[in-house]
């Protein structure tokens, strides 16, 4: 992944600067995008929607991207380190999400899922007052999630299987096992 090309491609002439910072993790490189107040994206670099998420942020915010870090990204780095050590189960980093009302409702519900647990797409739909037939829409909202790990879409599974994950099923299984191993 050549972040320099992505930065050049999606930056616009703007005073609103978003910093892009790459981090190593036990399950692959992640990239975070933040300004001084909010995290706009945390994604594995090999995620199938990675560039699309950067483009979406650029279109919505008309911002300039720069490689670098700031106080918020350093806080994220610390929280991710603790998460992967198994000693953090709730992120405190302030997020800015951009989605439809339904997506926002799903993402809010996902943040309420307890660490080390899973629920089905149908369970999430029902908890939002929808029928289980909306399970596919919940799956689509999970796929549009730009804050992987922090909005824990990896905790949502299909009935009878693990379901999908835009960052790969091996990674989803690793995250579920990691949280089960460190569940309080």
């Amino acid at each position: 992944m050549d972040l320099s090309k992505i930065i050049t491609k999606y930056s616009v002439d703007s005073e609103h600067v978003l910093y892009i910072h790459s981090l190593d993790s036990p399950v692959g490189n992640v990239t975070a995008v933040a300004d001084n107040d909010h995290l706009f994206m945390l994604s594995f670099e090999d995620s199938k929607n990675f560039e699309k998420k950067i483009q979406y942020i650029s279109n919505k915010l008309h911002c300039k991207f720069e490689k670098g870090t700031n106080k918020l990204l350093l806080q994220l780095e610390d929280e991710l380190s603790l998460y992967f050590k198994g000693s953090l189960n709730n992120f405190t980093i302030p997020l800015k999400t951009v989605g439809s009302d339904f997506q926002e409702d799903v993402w809010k519900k996902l943040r309420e899922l307890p660490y080390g647990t899973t629920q089905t797409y149908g369970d999430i739909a029902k908890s939002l007052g929808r029928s289980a037939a909306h399970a596919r829409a919940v799956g689509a909202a999970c796929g549009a999630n730009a804050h992987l790990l922090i909005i824990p879409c990896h905790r949502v599974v299909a009935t009878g299987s693990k379901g999908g994950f835009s960052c790969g099923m091996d990674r989803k299984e690793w995250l579920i096992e990691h949280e089960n191993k460190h569940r309080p």
Side-chain angles (χ1 to χ4, degrees):
M1 176 72 48
D2 188 346
L3 286 178
S4 296
K5 286 183 181 177
I6 289 174
I7 288 169
T8 301
K9 185 175 181 179
Y10 295 111
S11 285
V12 297
D13 188 23
S14 174
E15 291 184 20
H16 188 193
V17 175
L18 295 184
Y19 297 97
I20 295 182
H21 183 57
S22 292
L23 307 157
D24 292 327
S25 85
V27 287
N29 291 337
V30 293
T31 294
V33 177
D35 63 13
N36 292 321
D37 300 313
H38 296 99
L39 180 71
F40 289 87
M41 185 181 105
L42 179 66
S43 183
F44 289 96
E45 290 178 1
D46 60 356
S47 176
K48 66 181 177 183
N49 296 327
F50 181 83
E51 189 170 341
K52 186 177 180 179
K53 290 174 184 175
I54 299 273
Q55 181 182 17
Y56 189 78
I57 292 167
S58 175
N59 290 342
K60 289 291 183 185
L61 301 178
H62 307 289
C63 58
K64 179 180 178 182
F65 295 102
E66 291 182 6
K67 271 188 182 178
T69 191
N70 59 18
K71 185 177 176 181
L72 192 83
L73 289 168
L74 293 175
Q75 176 188 344
L76 174 65
E77 197 167 343
D78 289 342
E79 288 189 15
L80 284 172
S81 176
L82 293 171
Y83 171 82
F84 284 115
K85 289 177 184 173
S87 58
L88 177 91
N89 54 24
N90 287 310
F91 290 93
T92 62
I93 201 90
L95 305 180
K96 183 69 169 179
T97 57
V98 182
S100 70
D101 290 344
F102 180 75
Q103 288 171 328
E104 297 283 348
D105 289 345
V106 170
W107 299 333
K108 182 179 178 197
K109 186 59 68 177
L110 295 181
R111 291 202 72 189
E112 296 169 3
L113 290 179
Y115 179 93
T117 65
T118 58
Q119 286 191 12
T120 68
Y121 297 98
D123 291 338
I124 300 296
K126 287 177 189 175
S127 72
L128 292 170
R130 310 280 181 123
S131 72
H134 286 89
R136 212 174 265 248
V138 169
C142 288
N145 174 19
H147 296 86
L148 299 177
L149 304 174
I150 298 171
I151 298 177
C153 56
H154 61 275
R155 296 180 191 157
V156 186
V157 298
T159 303
S161 75
K162 293 275 196 267
F165 194 53
S166 66
C167 302
M169 288 307 299
D170 289 347
R171 194 172 278 143
K172 181 174 186 167
E173 290 173 7
W174 189 96
L175 293 167
I176 290 170
E177 288 174 22
H178 170 74
E179 289 186 6
N180 282 331
K181 185 167 76 172
H182 297 285
R183 187 178 355 195

